Amino acid sequence: MSERIALYPGSFDPVTRGHLDILERASLIFDRVVVAVLENPSKSMLFSAAERVELLRASIDGNAHVEVGTFEGLTVEYARRVGAIAIVRGLRVTSDFENEFQMTLMNRRLNPDIHTVFLMTSFSNVFISSSIIKEVFRLGGRIDDAVPPASAEALRRKFQRD
Ligand code: PNS
């Protein structure tokens, strides 16, 4: 049987424990997961694409089923290029649903052969998002239990904090 590949796309600015939770679950279901950083998203990013890739690489902990990539343009186009049969997205709270629903239906319209699969984070990660992490860190709050060590270190460097 051919390898079942999933694409896990996102901004990952920076990667959080919530992302890693989804990635871990996806890698138990699929033979291979390509986690891919969107290079030039419409929203502005704190970390460059190269930095976001580096943080993902440092955080996947040698998981042999996972590889890290970057892409520009349409997610479904990149999914097709890497041979993915599915796009994986994480769901945390009900407010995620509307945007994810819209993206899923649009992606399906663009390529009906690629299915979107939603995975749920564990309860401890429900309120973690990259944006809230950046805001809390900027305001001097503790974020170490919500992100992998590489992301915490990168935030300290970016904001020149010990
Ligand atoms: O981590 P994010 O910011 O929630 O990820 C959003 C992402 C990158 C998955 C989404 O913005 C995306 O797929 N962008 C690529 C452009 C595209 O394919 N748009 C059509 C899908 S509606």
Side-chain angles (χ1 to χ4, degrees):
M1 206 172 80
S2 63
E3 216 185 12
R4 295 170 85 81
I5 303 168
L7 171 67
Y8 179 27
S11 310
F12 305 106
D13 187 46
V15 57
T16 66
R17 288 201 191 277
H19 294 131
L20 295 176
D21 180 334
I22 298 298
L23 195 51
E24 172 72 25
R25 288 171 203 281
S27 74
L28 297 172
I29 300 170
F30 293 93
D31 299 317
R32 197 148 61 85
V33 183
V34 179
V35 51
V37 164
L38 178 64
E39 283 222 33
N40 290 310
S42 45
K43 47 190 179 181
S44 71
M45 297 285 116
L46 176 63
F47 294 100
S48 69
E51 288 172 319
R52 287 178 279 140
V53 165
E54 221 20 77
L55 295 180
L56 272 166
R57 287 220 172 98
S59 308
I60 57 176
D61 227 4
N63 187 331
H65 299 275
V66 175
E67 63 188 68
V68 186
T70 56
F71 72 106
E72 281 184 282
L74 289 175
T75 295
V76 284
E77 211 23 61
Y78 185 66
R80 194 188 54 77
R81 284 217 307 278
V82 298
I85 55 163
I87 292 171
V88 166
R89 294 285 291 166
L91 272 185
R92 294 160 302 189
V93 283
T94 50
S95 53
D96 283 343
F97 181 78
E98 205 171 324
N99 184 40
E100 295 298 332
F101 187 50
Q102 193 179 25
M103 277 204 290
T104 299
L105 293 187
M106 179 49 79
N107 284 335
R108 186 181 294 161
R109 177 181 278 204
L110 293 167
N111 188 338
D113 296 330
I114 296 175
H115 304 281
T116 301
V117 172
F118 290 98
L119 296 175
M120 289 194 190
T121 53
S122 49
F123 192 68
S124 56
N125 295 325
V126 156
F127 295 106
I128 299 176
S129 71
S130 296
S131 9
I132 213 160
I133 293 298
K134 286 180 282 189
E135 181 175 328
V136 168
F137 189 82
R138 208 174 267 134
L139 298 173
R142 229 172 37 79
I143 46 85
D144 292 73
D145 55 348
V147 293
S151 293
E153 202 33 59
L155 282 163
R156 286 200 246 315
R157 272 200 311 275
K158 196 63 91 181
F159 290 95
Q160 295 173 349
R161 260 200 255 146
D162 316 315

